[in-house]
Amino acid sequence: MYTGIFSPIESSAVGAGLAIVLGFALRRLTLAGLWRAILGSGRTTATVMLILISAYILNPFISLTGVPHVVGEWLAGVTAGPITTLVLILLCYLVLGCFLEGLSMIVLTMPILYPIVIGLGFDPIWYGVIIVIVLEMAMISPPVGVNVFIVRSIAPRVPLAEIFLGVLPFWVAMILLVGILILFPALATYLPDRMMQWGFKCCLRKHRSF
């Protein structure tokens, strides 16, 4: 994927295909086992899609209420410092995560909140990394964490409260990670910067070879 041979979606398909080939080569996978895996994957995918469809149905209703615009205008009028405004934006995402799926939140809020963040002087790549982490936090935040219900569909015998307790350490870890990235913004942009430099050098070498 990093070399540009496959896109992220293609990489997942290639990885799954190679896993199947490796399973047959090592004689750890049979046709019956493959069929059970396909059925299990189909049931899990159907459950996830139903949850996502429900979130997408709710998305237009949230938009029609005008709540995102009201929140955006309120944040734009906040006279506190940039870090305080950023924390308020992240808290808004945590609240929205109780009702919406991650992509829906991005589509709904990015046109409103992105100009505010850029106006505060934050790096857009850094902000994107922060938002991805916060969205994942929102998807496991009680009382309505979408990913928690997906896990419950895979393990229906496990009580929902136990699943929420199980994801609590990950939630705390992501809180600490967000705090570290706010204190040391260069950590979020280090890898993209290195990749950009590597890509630029590769293009320059190809250009010189001609």
Side-chain angles (χ1 to χ4, degrees):
M1 184 172 65
Y2 284 113
T3 58
I5 299 175
F6 300 110
S7 67
I9 296 177
E10 292 170 347
S11 299
S12 62
V14 171
L18 291 177
I20 294 173
V21 172
L22 186 61
F24 280 116
L26 297 177
R27 297 183 178 180
R28 296 181 180 178
L29 182 64
T30 62
L31 290 177
L34 179 61
W35 178 245
R36 288 194 299 269
I38 292 173
L39 290 178
S41 177
R43 284 192 291 267
T44 302
T45 302
T47 303
V48 172
M49 292 305 298
L50 285 175
I51 295 174
L52 295 182
I53 289 171
S54 301
Y56 276 107
I57 291 175
L58 183 62
N59 187 34
F61 290 97
I62 297 293
S63 180
L64 288 174
T65 61
V67 171
H69 293 281
V70 173
V71 173
E73 292 176 358
W74 175 69
L75 290 172
V78 171
T79 57
I83 299 298
T84 303
T85 305
L86 176 66
V87 171
L88 292 175
I89 292 174
L90 300 184
L91 289 176
C92 290
Y93 276 108
L94 288 179
V95 174
L96 286 175
C98 295
F99 311 99
L100 298 176
E101 179 267 340
L103 183 59
S104 300
M105 284 190 283
I106 293 177
V107 173
L108 192 63
T109 61
M110 197 58 67
I112 302 170
L113 299 180
Y114 182 78
I116 298 175
V117 172
I118 298 304
L120 294 173
F122 292 116
D123 184 273
I125 298 178
W126 172 84
Y127 176 68
V129 173
I130 292 287
I131 288 301
V132 169
I133 299 172
V134 173
L135 288 181
E136 293 304 318
M137 290 174 55
M139 300 292 279
I140 61 174
S141 297
V144 189
V146 176
N147 286 347
V148 174
F149 285 94
I150 293 174
V151 173
R152 176 64 186 278
S153 68
I154 300 173
R157 297 182 180 180
V158 181
L160 194 60
E162 185 175 342
I163 298 177
F164 273 115
L165 288 175
V167 301
L168 182 60
F170 298 95
W171 198 86
V172 173
M174 285 188 281
I175 284 266
L176 295 176
L177 178 59
V178 170
I180 291 172
L181 291 179
I182 291 176
L183 292 175
F184 306 100
L187 293 176
T189 57
Y190 175 80
L191 183 59
D193 289 342
R194 299 289 81 75
M195 291 178 63
M196 289 292 292
Q197 292 177 5
W198 179 78
F200 176 76
K201 290 179 180 179
C202 290
C203 292
L204 187 61
R205 290 172 185 171
K206 291 181 179 179
H207 178 74
R208 289 177 176 176
S209 64
F210 290 112

